[in-house]
Amino acid sequence: MTSKLWFGAVAWLGIWLGGGCASAAWAQAPLPGIVVSPTEDERRLAAAVAHAGPDPQSGRRTGAPTPGPGGAPPLLLERVFQIIENQHPKLRGSVIERRVATAKRIEKQGAFDPILSISTDYLRYNSASKRGKVSEAFGIGTEVNFLTRSGIKFFASSNLNLGATKSPLSATGDFGTYEFGLKVPLFRDFRINEKSVGERQAFLGESQADIAVVQTRLELFRKAADDYWDWVAAKRRLDVARNLLKLAEIRNDAIRQRTVVGDLPPIDAVEAEQEVQRRQAALAKAERDFQKAQFKLSLSLWLDDVTTQPPPDEGSVLDVSLQLEPTEITAAEINDAIALALQRRPELQAIAVLKDTVRLDLELARNQRRPILDLALVPGRDAGPGALERRSKPA
């Protein structure tokens, strides 16, 4: 009877040690100096921490984070997200791609910037009328072209040619000639042309780069959250394995003492020793699983010099026990979540941008099948002494 009571007490000790670790939930609190806007779940967790009382089994007050060795703050999931946001090379690469897309858009917009051209000519040649006599000619030309997105082109030019001009130069008045004109495409390239379509597609490419940044951030955050909670769970399993091993060792010592005095047969001591060895093997497996979880989480932790941080140690695991009741999700909340996902998911937005890009290619291809017919109007005037005389009206 005494042995049964003693064994029952040992069993209850094991439930008390193991249950206090196995039934734990986790909460998160922001690091000092880091401003994190709490979500609704985090507010519920904080309220539960504030009103949490002592655990009825362990007597330990829930809701108080246990600092790591040396009083170091625990590693929170918000801190992991902050490291990814600031230092992860994959996210940095997406941001650089976004800048490249912006540069391409600016390049395409440059096609509609005004173009100023200035040219000068100086000729010194043998006169055709009097061989051996030097003839000289000087010319300067200026032209400004401005292309609109509708395909209409405006331009203005001036030319000043003085001296004994030689073909293809022609003499002008002392003040030069001035021209103003426009060129209007009537069929092909009107409103839909390569340069305007290229600019609009560059804007779409910029939007697609923004979507890629958001998608990369979501993927990294999701993977980091999975690895983070795997790391937390692995630490809890490791604690349970250690507690179970301590319990088995206590039980083994007690059974060995009882076999020495003859209270139990020797076979019970052998079985107790086997149980200790099994739990030692389980502890070794739990340690390997925790190390694996450490290295997986460290893939999300980077330094400013694009090198990975050392794996987080055991002391940085948040040690908070919370017992929260699950919240029922209503059908209206599910429908709202589905509608919000259809509106905000980056994959759907990327598909919409791709459809717009292909649509522009189709419109350009249809426009290029049209015939070329342009209307050009170029009025001009020769000014200054020696200019071309204006045609006189008939009497």
Side-chain angles (χ1 to χ4, degrees):
M1 184 67 178
T2 305
S3 61
K4 293 181 179 179
L5 292 175
W6 185 91
F7 183 77
V10 172
W12 277 108
L13 178 62
I15 296 174
W16 180 75
L17 290 174
C21 295
S23 63
W26 295 91
Q28 301 175 3
L31 284 172
I34 298 177
V35 179
V36 180
S37 59
T39 62
E40 183 64 26
D41 293 337
E42 291 171 346
R43 283 190 288 267
R44 291 176 51 250
L45 290 174
V49 170
H51 297 87
D55 193 333
Q57 292 184 355
S58 65
R60 184 176 58 177
R61 183 171 182 84
T62 61
T66 302
L75 178 62
L76 304 178
L77 184 59
E78 285 82 359
R79 177 58 181 165
V80 177
F81 288 166
Q82 186 182 38
I83 293 175
I84 293 175
E85 182 70 28
N86 297 331
Q87 298 164 190
H88 200 285
K90 190 173 182 180
L91 188 57
R92 286 184 176 182
S94 297
V95 174
I96 292 175
E97 290 294 333
R98 170 65 172 78
R99 296 176 182 175
V100 172
T102 301
K104 291 182 179 180
R105 187 257 302 168
I106 295 175
E107 178 186 4
K108 295 299 182 180
Q109 285 182 310
F112 303 101
D113 293 338
I115 300 175
L116 174 63
S117 302
I118 300 177
S119 61
T120 59
D121 293 300
Y122 173 73
L123 296 179
R124 188 173 184 272
Y125 59 95
N126 195 349
S127 175
S129 59
K130 296 182 179 180
R131 297 182 58 187
K133 184 179 179 181
V134 175
S135 296
E136 295 179 337
F138 172 78
I140 181 172
T142 304
E143 185 176 4
V144 178
N145 291 277
F146 180 75
L147 178 64
T148 63
R149 289 166 176 80
S150 61
I152 301 176
K153 180 180 179 182
F154 297 91
F155 60 91
S157 63
S158 65
N159 291 284
L160 177 62
N161 299 322
L162 301 176
T165 58
K166 184 180 180 181
S167 179
L169 297 177
S170 59
T172 64
D174 291 345
F175 295 160
T177 60
Y178 301 91
E179 295 178 348
F180 301 91
L182 70 137
K183 181 179 179 182
V184 181
L186 300 180
F187 294 103
R188 184 185 295 185
D189 292 337
F190 180 67
R191 299 184 61 183
I192 302 296
N193 51 76
E194 291 185 1
K195 293 184 179 180
S196 64
V197 169
E199 182 192 24
R200 293 164 65 181
Q201 288 183 341
F203 275 105
L204 293 175
E206 197 172 11
S207 300
Q208 195 168 13
D210 289 332
I211 296 172
V213 172
V214 174
Q215 190 171 3
T216 302
R217 182 184 291 108
L218 288 177
E219 292 176 356
L220 293 176
F221 281 4
R222 180 194 58 80
K223 184 179 182 303
D226 291 342
D227 295 340
Y228 179 85
W229 292 117
D230 289 343
W231 173 65
V232 171
K235 176 59 168 59
R236 276 308 176 98
R237 289 193 293 267
L238 179 60
D239 292 339
V240 171
R242 288 171 177 170
N243 292 334
L244 292 178
L245 177 59
K246 290 179 182 178
L247 178 61
E249 292 173 347
I250 294 173
R251 179 175 176 272
N252 184 32
D253 293 339
I255 292 177
R256 188 184 299 109
Q257 292 176 7
R258 294 181 62 187
T259 56
V260 171
V261 299
D263 190 24
L264 291 176
I267 188 63
D268 290 348
V270 175
E271 292 177 353
E273 181 64 29
Q274 290 178 349
E275 183 63 24
V276 170
Q277 294 178 1
R278 282 194 293 268
R279 297 192 178 184
Q280 287 177 346
L283 176 60
K285 182 179 182 302
E287 290 177 345
R288 291 194 302 269
D289 292 341
F290 179 72
Q291 292 174 356
K292 181 180 178 181
Q294 280 181 308
F295 284 109
K296 286 182 64 178
L297 180 58
S298 66
L299 296 178
S300 300
L301 305 177
W302 294 78
L303 300 174
D304 289 333
D305 57 353
V306 199
T307 57
T308 56
Q309 295 186 11
D313 55 13
E314 296 184 26
S316 59
V317 178
L318 185 66
D319 188 11
V320 175
S321 296
L322 289 176
Q323 295 179 356
L324 299 177
E325 296 182 359
T327 304
E328 182 180 359
I329 301 177
T330 63
E333 292 177 342
I334 294 177
N335 294 331
D336 293 341
I338 293 176
L340 189 62
L342 293 176
Q343 180 183 1
R344 295 187 178 181
R345 284 302 302 178
E347 296 86 354
L348 300 179
Q349 295 178 358
I351 293 175
V353 171
L354 183 59
K355 288 175 60 178
D356 291 339
T357 303
V358 175
R359 178 180 56 81
L360 289 175
D361 287 334
L362 181 60
E363 291 180 359
L364 178 62
R366 290 174 177 173
N367 181 270
Q368 294 301 304
R369 296 174 59 186
R370 298 177 179 179
I372 299 177
L373 180 60
D374 298 336
L375 174 64
L377 179 63
V378 188
R381 182 176 181 181
D382 196 9
L388 182 66
E389 294 182 359
R390 302 179 66 179
R391 180 178 297 177
S392 59
K393 297 182 180 180

